[in-house]
Amino acid sequence: MNAVLSTILKRLGLGIATLFVVSAIIFSSISMLPGDFSEAVLGQAATKETVTAFRKELGLDKPAPVRYFEWVGSVLQGDFGTSFSGRNASGQDRSRQVVDLVMPRLWNTLFLAGVTALIAVPLALFLGLTAALYRNTAYDRVVNAATLTTISTPEFFVAYILILFFASLWPVFPSLANIDASTALGERLYRVALPALTLTLVIVAHMMRMTRAAIINLLASPYIEMARLKGASRSEIILKHALPNAWAPIATVIAFNLAYLVVGVVVVEVVFVYPGIGQLMVDAVTSRDIPVVQACALIFAATYILLNLTADIIGIVTNPRLLHPR
Amino acid sequence: MTDNHEPNHDILLKMRDIRIDGFSDEQWHPIIKGVDLTLRRGEIMGLIGESGAGKSTLGKAAMGYTQPGCKLTGGSILFDGIDLAKASDREKRRLWGTRIAYVAQSAAASFNPAHRLIDQTVEAANRRGIRPDADSRTDAVELFRALQLPNPETIGSRYPHQVSGGQLQRVMTAMAMSPRPDLIIFDEPTTALDVTTQVEVLSAMRNIVEEFNTAAIYITHDLAVVAQMADFIKVLRYGEEVEQAPTRKMLTQPEEAYTKSLWSVRALEKPEVKGEDIVLSINHVDAAYGPVKVLHDVNISIPRGRTVAVVGESGSGKSTTARVITGLLPPSAGEVVFNGEPLPAALKDRSKDQLQKIQMIYQMADTAMNPRQTVEEIIGRPLEFYLGLTGKAREARVIKLLEMIELDDSFMDRLPSELSGGQKQRICIARALAANPEVIICDEVTSALDQIVQEGILQLLLRLQKQYNITYLFITHDIATVKAISDEIVVMLQGKVVEQGLKSEILAPPFPDYTELLLSSVPEMDPDWLTNLLADRNT
Amino acid sequence: MSEQPETYAAAAEVGAVRKRRTRLERFSLLMKSAPPSAWFGMIVVALYILVAIFADVIAPYGEAEIHPVPFAPWSDEFIFGTDQIGRDVLTRLIYGARNTMGIALATTFLSFLIGGGLGLVAAINRSWLDQGLSRFVDVLMAIPSLIFALMLLSIFGSTITSLILIIAVLDSTRVFRLTRSVAVNVAVMDYVEAARLRGEGLGWVMRREILPNIMPPLVAEFGLRFCFVFLTIAALSFLGVGIQPPTADWGSMVRANASLIQFAKYDMTAAITPLLPAAAIALLTVAVNFIVDWFLQKTSGLRE
């Protein structure tokens, strides 16, 4: 077990280091702001005093490394700073804490992504597995062409087609997925139906193709041919010989696609005006509300890193070479 | 057919007019062109042929199996009265692993990494319920013992990556034997092993097949190996049968010209000449890959115009020695002296002149030539690079070089993919010659080639040596090649030089232990060699 | 065993000698073997390129020409109607082909220049430079590229130059990975070692020994990366932070006219209008993917 443990620890260390560097990149982006930025935020009429005060608040008067560690320290305590919006030239400040803006929306996004994953992951694994097993049949070709078309299509195209049919022509679902904290679960599910369906279509296509490729790759191993020549039936080959070696590639496929899902929500949230973190980020980018952008970017990156880390750890704990060292 | 008159009751396998096509280059090509094969119970057939002869494809077809990308287009495969060519998958699966078993070339890749060895060994027998699981496991331990595996009681509980290649190959034989099949297909089972390991595996396999009177098809390209195993031998070439005969008759009185050519190669032997003028010497060299030390105080002197052969098994450090000489791996201690002057340790510190004088030829001519360059570009580049030849002068010199290697100017525009294996290696020789070198390092240059082509290459190298007084450092594991070409021999083991001397001294008794083991392990073209060797070693 | 094999000449050896064909012959053979999907892809791509090149000739109106009636219905005058401020939709679609494709193409080229070049150097060098670049790319890839692009655009602003630069740099990480991994496989080949032993410089080894042998996967990747870049730019424009008006662009056209979809019950053509640019995007990426798919099957040698 020691080999497994040390490999996991190494991988964890790498994950933390990556997160650290990523946070540094995200942080240093604020230093790249053009000089006139304070004016852009506060307006042309800003007085010298308000500008200086604002710069001081941003900590632009301190050296960058100091600011970075202060920032990391407060982020670790859940403090992402204060939003840029709501300020004006006179120095009046009605801005809100970034955390208060981000948190409720983060839960909404996780809800949407979770609902999608629950449908998409099993469906994609099933389609990918069957396409790999019955490869080069008509079934395989149809599934292949359909998924190739889907992955080539922008998310918003899929979204608007669904809206056209299921919200406009036959209004079964709402085209606006506006929910808030008071919305009941059943109502929530009803409202996120179209965004979740859009995401499902996109994710299933990607994931099914990757699953198919991973399984076909596995089935080309000499030990699978050996199993055939030992008289194993098709189901035995899959369950007994391929599956125990398939966890690592399958975990990688799932993690990759969940990570993709997290990013894919941005566009879909905007189409359906869903109050998630993606839409928040796009709004913040448009209004150049840097603290909010930073917070969102950090959350997205952390999710991404965490998912890949999980996949790698699943790969490690199912690797017989590590489980049973020489 | 010779077997028409024999009684049929003990015929186990009867293949008639087998035709198999393979898919490549966007179309189907015949791989097996109508081969017949008959095997009786308890008989061992050796199936030999060079790469691409179709022997492996035919061997698998004996099970009614064709690889992905191949298809059976004609013929019948009667196994104990069942036509496997027409049988359904379900019928074939009932035979596979129980009545017909398969032993693959790469044991490391053919075991499932996720399961213990014993579970994989008893899998096929258990599936068909041949005997209770507990009995199968006891039996497997007995098989491990019979195959002389270390710790037979516990080795089964290990995972494939935990045991060595030679042991894995024997476990695979146990796996094949577990359901007591009527027929085992051995598909080059010892090709990936070192010679000293090969002897152990061969004897273990032979004993167990004899003990259970199992019929077998033994596929290999090594004539000496097949001579130890088979009752009779079938020679394949280009997917057709060349000749079939009992082993002893095949070895002494081959009929077909092609078969004779396979045998005759071993006749080549260069008379040794002692050399005094040392052109290249390796003095007290240590070398390491990272923390792993692979060369320990290596000393080799190479006389001008002679051939020094470096022999040893994989991991003995013979290729590393070549890397040190070329500067690819700077030594951690010691030096390489060329024409009386020490060479800079690293490649990048050497002058163009120093680089020019030491050239290298590789084992795999396929990967030694850029597949996107024509023969003219390949040979012409060193001419341009070292000698500054361009245009007509370069072209003329390329043609001259092609003539020196017994090819002509029609090859100028060809790409490597349009050459045969021997031609490729010749082009590599021409590329080395183009630099006007004093020393050429030959790294296993003939071991990837068919026998008859090997002979041609060796003769060419000898002729060039005589004409241009070139010095060869010849790295090889093949004793026949050593005999053919060398003046002096260096024996290496685990990064150390065990022995160095003239060919006649090294290849004559008394031998140090390792040289003895190495030399005696090289299979000879004598059906009794293995039997005698084992008897010798036991006394 | 004194007998020698009958006659033996090296030149007479037959290997797997392939028939040599001229470029033209090989091209026509290739075309003959193309499946319908690839044909479809090639025709679509050719049409798009023609439209992009001759946009000025084909388009009925000027790129930013504003007509009095916004959201005009489909008619002879405005084949696909007009948009929210009265610009001809067909005209915008045609110019959009030029702008969106042009920007995506420039970005992809730049990303291959950066990623491909560094990937090759890293593959040959294999030392601290390779380590450094690879770790750096790992970190960059740990941030989802759409998110990273959004963040950078918020800082540098949405100009076409910054759009091209940002996406090219972010995308070059993937090109770097691929180039490095295929080039490493080639760099360990004996012919590369032979070139180094000969004393050849880095430039020769890169250009003459490695690059020609990694072209097929790079060409396929170019197609895939183009699609990805194209979709990213379309998504950013759709989100309002990509290509800015008045430059015609398919992504922002979708967003601008999206509200028309709710009138599907009353006027189907109006509802289709915002879907036209989206369909144009989808059609192009599907077409390129079909070609790449075929190309990959041709060159990978995978039979199953």
Side-chain angles (χ1 to χ4, degrees):
Chain A
M1 283 311 274
N2 277 338
V4 176
L5 213 61
S6 71
T7 319
I8 289 180
L9 285 178
K10 258 186 227 155
R11 185 62 190 82
L12 269 175
L14 189 68
I16 291 168
T18 311
L19 195 57
F20 194 69
V21 180
V22 165
S23 71
I25 293 175
I26 291 174
F27 169 80
S28 60
S29 63
I30 202 168
S31 324
M32 286 190 262
L33 286 174
D36 60 346
F37 190 78
S38 319
E39 284 176 22
V41 170
L42 301 175
Q44 294 288 333
T47 59
K48 212 166 173 118
E49 291 76 49
T50 35
V51 171
T52 319
F54 181 58
R55 285 183 64 86
K56 194 170 168 115
E57 186 198 321
L58 290 183
L60 288 176
D61 51 343
K62 285 183 222 158
V66 177
R67 276 185 284 137
Y68 171 63
F69 285 106
E70 283 179 7
W71 182 68
V72 167
S74 45
V75 164
L76 285 178
Q77 290 162 25
D79 176 13
F80 284 90
T82 318
S83 165
F84 280 1
S85 66
R87 297 166 196 269
N88 62 21
S90 59
Q92 210 180 6
D93 190 353
R94 285 196 300 268
S95 62
R96 298 173 60 191
Q97 285 293 308
V98 174
V99 179
D100 300 338
L101 284 171
V102 169
M103 286 318 280
R105 288 175 166 249
L106 177 61
W107 292 121
N108 287 346
T109 293
L110 288 180
F111 177 72
L112 175 58
V115 170
T116 309
L118 277 180
I119 311 166
V121 172
L123 184 64
L125 288 183
F126 174 78
L127 285 176
L129 204 65
T130 45
L133 288 184
Y134 301 100
R135 61 183 174 281
N136 294 335
T137 61
Y139 169 76
D140 182 30
R141 286 202 195 97
V142 168
V143 173
N144 228 339
T147 52
L148 188 63
T149 312
T150 317
I151 58 169
S152 320
T153 309
E155 289 100 340
F156 53 80
F157 187 42
V158 179
Y160 282 126
I161 292 211
L162 290 177
I163 291 182
L164 174 65
F165 284 105
F166 298 112
S168 195
L169 289 177
W170 298 282
V172 267
F173 292 113
S175 67
L176 294 185
N178 49 340
I179 58 167
D180 56 50
S182 64
T183 316
L185 181 66
E187 179 69 14
R188 262 173 199 256
L189 284 174
Y190 170 67
R191 299 222 169 153
V192 300
L194 283 187
L197 189 56
T198 309
L199 282 170
T200 303
L201 284 175
V202 177
I203 287 295
V204 164
H206 268 120
M207 208 162 149
M208 173 264 151
R209 284 176 77 83
M210 288 172 69
T211 311
R212 177 181 180 274
I215 297 290
I216 286 181
N217 191 21
L218 198 68
L219 291 181
S221 321
Y223 61 80
I224 298 293
E225 182 180 58
M226 191 70 207
R228 280 199 70 186
L229 292 176
K230 274 159 80 181
S233 64
R234 190 166 256 203
S235 60
E236 265 181 299
I237 287 175
I238 297 298
L239 294 177
K240 202 169 158 190
H241 289 277
L243 203 58
N245 296 295
W247 296 120
I250 288 180
T252 311
V253 171
I254 294 179
F256 184 89
N257 285 284
L258 290 184
Y260 182 88
L261 181 65
V262 169
V263 181
V265 295
V266 176
V267 170
V268 172
E269 283 179 5
V270 170
V271 172
F272 292 97
V273 204
Y274 182 79
I277 192 170
Q279 212 199 11
L280 177 69
M281 184 168 182
V282 173
D283 290 343
V285 168
T286 320
S287 62
R288 300 183 115 187
D289 191 347
I290 301 299
V292 176
V293 174
Q294 280 181 326
C296 295
L298 196 60
I299 288 169
F300 277 121
T303 319
Y304 215 70
I305 293 171
L306 192 70
L307 284 167
N308 285 319
L309 187 67
T310 317
D312 284 355
I313 288 178
I314 291 175
I316 291 168
V317 298
T318 56
N319 184 344
R321 280 167 196 277
L322 288 172
L323 285 178
H324 314 283
R326 271 173 185 268
Chain B
M1 296 302 102
T2 51
D3 46 70
N4 272 351
H5 317 286
E6 320 260 344
N8 278 337
H9 65 268
D10 63 345
I11 289 184
L12 180 65
L13 178 71
K14 191 169 177 179
M15 300 168 80
R16 283 294 167 270
D17 197 29
I18 297 299
R19 289 170 189 277
I20 296 171
D21 283 5
F23 195 80
S24 65
D25 266 353
E26 300 292 316
Q27 61 198 92
W28 291 94
H29 301 278
I31 297 179
I32 302 290
K33 306 160 188 167
V35 174
D36 294 347
L37 188 153
T38 306
L39 192 67
R40 289 174 186 75
R41 288 184 188 277
E43 258 181 350
I44 302 176
M45 164 189 270
L47 202 54
I48 67 166
E50 290 154 356
S51 53
K55 51 192 190 301
S56 194
T57 310
L58 185 64
K60 282 179 181 158
M63 306 179 70
Y65 176 79
T66 47
Q67 274 165 301
C70 292
K71 65 177 182 194
L72 188 71
T73 54
S76 63
I77 307 160
L78 281 176
F79 174 81
D80 206 18
I82 308 161
D83 188 355
L84 296 178
K86 297 195 180 71
S88 69
D89 270 7
R90 178 186 274 277
E91 285 173 282
K92 282 190 276 193
R93 274 209 303 272
R94 268 219 298 278
L95 298 175
W96 290 350
T98 47
R99 298 195 58 199
I100 315 177
Y102 178 77
V103 176
Q105 172 174 355
S106 167
S110 297
F111 274 103
N112 193 322
H115 299 301
R116 293 179 196 277
L117 292 173
I118 189 118
D119 295 334
Q120 302 192 51
T121 307
V122 300
E123 182 189 346
N126 281 357
R127 179 178 305 120
R128 302 295 166 212
I130 287 178
R131 54 179 111 77
D133 177 60
D135 293 1
S136 284
R137 283 168 195 274
T138 321
D139 176 69
V141 171
E142 286 314 309
L143 288 171
F144 292 155
R145 200 187 311 280
L147 286 157
Q148 291 152 20
L149 280 161
N151 309 318
E153 286 84 10
T154 53
I155 196 168
S157 62
R158 298 178 148 239
Y159 283 84
H161 66 272
Q162 295 174 316
V163 302
S164 74
Q167 291 169 0
L168 219 44
Q169 202 58 266
R170 277 178 274 172
V171 175
M172 195 177 323
T173 308
M175 180 164 89
M177 198 51 88
S178 165
R180 297 296 181 278
D182 300 312
L183 172 64
I184 299 186
I185 316 283
F186 289 100
D187 193 352
E188 306 241 19
T190 62
T191 306
L193 306 176
D194 276 328
V195 277
T196 49
T197 320
Q198 171 172 278
V199 171
E200 297 161 18
V201 176
L202 278 180
S203 67
M205 286 198 286
R206 193 173 69 171
N207 290 344
I208 202 145
V209 172
E210 266 169 20
E211 187 184 335
F212 296 109
N213 197 32
T214 314
I217 296 179
Y218 195 98
I219 300 164
T220 180
H221 67 278
D222 189 331
L223 297 156
V225 165
V226 84
Q228 314 309 316
M229 301 295 291
D231 300 317
F232 65 102
I233 295 175
K234 186 194 279 293
V235 182
L236 284 186
R237 192 187 199 195
Y238 305 141
E240 285 171 280
E241 178 179 322
V242 177
E243 189 173 357
Q244 175 177 325
T247 302
R248 278 172 206 281
K249 181 165 178 284
M250 182 69 102
L251 291 179
T252 49
Q253 306 160 295
E255 284 183 3
E256 297 295 320
Y258 172 69
T259 322
K260 285 176 192 167
S261 80
L262 293 180
W263 269 242
S264 69
V265 188
R266 310 256 165 170
L268 184 71
E269 185 165 347
K270 177 197 179 186
E272 71 180 26
V273 183
K274 199 168 160 56
E276 298 297 341
D277 174 20
I278 301 298
V279 62
L280 184 76
S281 62
I282 300 155
N283 302 333
H284 303 290
V285 161
D286 289 0
Y289 289 116
V292 189
K293 202 168 171 192
V294 283
L295 290 185
H296 309 269
D297 193 28
V298 169
N299 291 290
I300 299 174
S301 329
I302 303 163
R304 187 182 306 278
R306 304 285 173 266
T307 306
V308 174
V310 181
V311 292
E313 296 183 285
S314 56
S316 62
K318 53 189 198 303
S319 290
T320 310
T321 308
R323 291 177 69 82
V324 169
I325 297 173
T326 54
L328 284 170
L329 181 72
S332 48
E335 57 176 7
V336 179
V337 177
F338 180 63
N339 280 336
E341 282 177 37
L343 283 176
L347 178 65
K348 63 177 184 337
D349 300 326
R350 295 191 183 176
S351 70
K352 218 173 186 180
D353 194 48
Q354 287 167 329
L355 294 173
Q356 183 186 348
K357 294 298 177 208
I358 303 178
Q359 291 290 314
M360 175 125 178
I361 309 174
Y362 294 84
Q363 174 178 7
M364 306 299 289
D366 274 318
T367 60
M369 286 188 286
N370 190 332
R372 304 276 165 157
Q373 290 177 356
T374 63
V375 166
E376 185 178 4
E377 286 170 314
I378 291 167
I379 303 179
R381 180 60 190 169
L383 295 174
E384 189 181 319
F385 188 76
Y386 293 125
L387 312 173
L389 293 182
T390 49
K392 286 269 174 252
R394 190 180 91 150
E395 196 183 318
R397 181 72 190 150
V398 171
I399 295 174
K400 183 85 185 53
L401 283 162
L402 283 172
E403 283 164 5
M404 280 159 65
I405 55 163
E406 294 154 18
L407 298 176
D408 56 51
D409 60 357
S410 69
F411 285 84
M412 300 264 282
D413 294 330
R414 292 211 200 169
L415 290 172
S417 58
E418 297 162 323
L419 302 170
S420 73
Q423 287 165 350
K424 281 179 201 163
Q425 198 57 283
R426 278 165 194 267
I427 301 297
C428 289
I429 293 173
R431 176 173 63 182
L433 277 182
N436 291 334
E438 292 180 22
V439 177
I440 299 183
I441 300 170
C442 304
D443 189 358
E444 303 268 11
V445 290
T446 55
S447 53
L449 298 174
D450 300 338
Q451 302 261 18
I452 185 169
V453 181
Q454 283 192 14
E455 158 127 325
I457 297 283
L458 292 177
Q459 277 173 344
L460 172 69
L461 287 171
L462 287 175
R463 185 170 59 73
L464 292 171
Q465 180 168 54
K466 214 179 276 173
Q467 279 176 349
Y468 303 99
N469 200 32
I470 299 170
T471 311
Y472 295 130
L473 180 71
F474 210 94
I475 294 167
T476 184
H477 68 276
D478 181 20
I479 300 295
T481 309
V482 172
K483 282 181 185 156
I485 197 161
S486 68
D487 297 291
E488 290 189 22
I489 298 177
V490 174
V491 183
M492 290 190 74
L493 170 68
Q494 290 166 4
K496 296 191 182 95
V497 172
V498 182
E499 256 196 305
Q500 172 167 15
L502 285 173
K503 175 163 63 178
S504 56
E505 294 163 7
I506 302 284
L507 295 183
F511 301 115
D513 288 351
Y514 178 69
T515 312
E516 162 87 40
L517 179 69
L518 190 65
L519 291 177
S520 69
S521 298
V522 177
E524 284 168 24
M525 209 69 89
D526 167 9
D528 301 320
W529 167 79
L530 185 60
T531 316
N532 295 341
L533 174 72
L534 294 174
D536 270 5
R537 285 192 183 172
N538 284 337
T539 52
Chain C
M1 298 207 195
S2 55
E3 237 178 311
Q4 285 294 311
E6 318 107 296
T7 45
Y8 172 77
E13 259 177 41
V14 278
V17 177
R18 287 197 196 132
K19 201 171 160 266
R20 197 83 192 264
R21 298 188 179 103
T22 64
R23 251 167 219 277
L24 197 71
E25 280 173 328
R26 269 184 303 189
F27 184 73
S28 72
L29 258 175
L30 194 72
M31 288 298 117
K32 265 181 209 156
S33 70
S37 63
W39 271 110
F40 168 79
M42 285 186 281
I43 291 170
V44 169
V45 170
L47 278 177
Y48 271 63
I49 292 173
L50 284 178
V51 168
I53 293 174
F54 298 106
D56 299 330
V57 187
I58 305 168
Y61 302 101
E63 182 176 356
E65 197 178 327
I66 296 171
H67 303 277
V69 194
F71 289 133
W74 294 16
S75 64
D76 288 345
E77 194 184 357
F78 308 111
I79 294 176
F80 294 134
T82 59
D83 67 5
Q84 78 282 10
I85 55 170
R87 291 171 299 197
D88 180 44
V89 171
L90 177 64
T91 306
R92 303 283 290 170
L93 273 176
I94 291 169
Y95 278 102
R98 172 187 282 185
N99 298 333
T100 319
M101 278 170 65
I103 290 172
L105 208 59
T107 310
T108 317
F109 267 118
L110 189 60
S111 122
F112 266 74
L113 214 62
I114 304 170
L118 291 178
L120 267 180
V121 172
I124 299 170
N125 176 284
R126 302 303 304 278
S127 64
W128 55 269
L129 185 71
D130 179 26
Q131 282 295 319
L133 280 172
S134 297
R135 291 295 83 75
F136 180 65
V137 162
D138 284 350
V139 170
L140 282 191
M141 287 178 83
I143 312 176
S145 58
L146 185 70
I147 302 302
F148 210 162
L150 279 173
M151 192 182 88
L152 293 177
L153 284 171
S154 73
I155 291 159
F156 296 110
S158 300
T159 64
I160 286 181
T161 326
S162 61
L163 195 64
I164 291 179
L165 280 175
I166 289 170
I167 297 180
V169 169
L170 293 180
D171 205 54
S172 68
T173 56
R174 281 155 215 280
V175 181
F176 172 86
R177 275 250 181 117
L178 178 90
T179 313
R180 187 185 167 280
S181 71
V182 291
V184 161
N185 288 338
V186 174
V188 298
M189 294 300 237
D190 290 338
Y191 59 82
V192 178
E193 189 181 295
R196 286 174 56 210
L197 283 181
R198 193 157 63 225
E200 302 280 7
L202 181 68
W204 172 279
V205 173
M206 265 172 71
R207 272 184 306 113
R208 303 299 292 271
E209 306 288 348
I210 295 186
L211 200 56
N213 290 295
I214 59 170
M215 276 321 270
L218 285 190
V219 168
E221 185 68 6
F222 190 89
L224 295 178
R225 299 282 18 123
F226 172 78
C227 287
F228 188 82
V229 165
F230 187 73
L231 287 175
T232 307
I233 292 176
L236 288 171
S237 302
F238 173 81
L239 296 174
V241 293
I243 303 169
Q244 300 294 320
T247 311
D249 157 77
W250 291 340
S252 43
M253 282 175 76
V254 177
R255 182 76 178 279
N257 299 310
S259 57
L260 288 174
I261 293 182
Q262 56 189 314
F263 304 115
K265 275 195 170 167
Y266 315 102
D267 180 1
M268 196 58 199
T269 58
I272 291 174
T273 307
L275 293 180
L276 288 175
I281 296 168
L283 187 62
L284 179 62
T285 43
V286 169
V288 175
N289 263 312
F290 276 155
I291 301 175
V292 171
D293 214 40
W294 168 58
F295 183 80
L296 276 178
Q297 263 176 12
K298 286 296 276 192
T299 54
S300 68
L302 282 176
R303 293 287 160 239
E304 265 209 295

